[in-house]
Amino acid sequence: MTTRWPWISMLISLILTLSPLGRDIVDAAFFAGEALSRNIWAPIALTIFAVMALVILAEWLIRTYILNRRARGTTTA
């Protein structure tokens, strides 16, 4: 692992968003013609986006921790 960039979770998030189910959820949440559909799906879609953002942040923090730990090296006495 040579980068802190959270590419694994970002790739999974992109695939899930661009899948037919993900596109349907985004379309129903933000582009639906009916207000009832938008009101039902918008909080669900925003929650899914928030969870994806938290997973990306967690991967970035884990990668940063691992890289910093490797940079320190081992000091055994």
Side-chain angles (χ1 to χ4, degrees):
M1 179 173 57
T2 59
T3 180
R4 292 180 185 166
W5 188 252
W7 63 272
I8 296 171
S9 57
M10 290 186 75
L11 183 65
I12 291 171
S13 297
L14 180 70
I15 290 170
L16 290 176
T17 304
L18 295 178
S19 71
L21 180 62
R23 288 192 318 222
D24 284 343
I25 290 173
V26 170
D27 185 47
F30 303 112
F31 304 114
E34 296 180 10
L36 178 64
S37 178
R38 286 192 309 265
N39 289 338
I40 292 172
W41 281 103
I44 295 170
L46 292 174
T47 303
I48 292 170
F49 293 154
V51 168
M52 287 191 297
L54 287 175
V55 169
I56 290 169
L57 179 66
E59 182 183 355
W60 179 76
L61 289 173
I62 290 169
R63 285 176 174 268
T64 301
Y65 175 74
I66 291 172
L67 284 174
N68 287 340
R69 190 171 170 195
R70 283 185 184 172
R72 267 188 304 186
T74 58
T75 56
T76 55

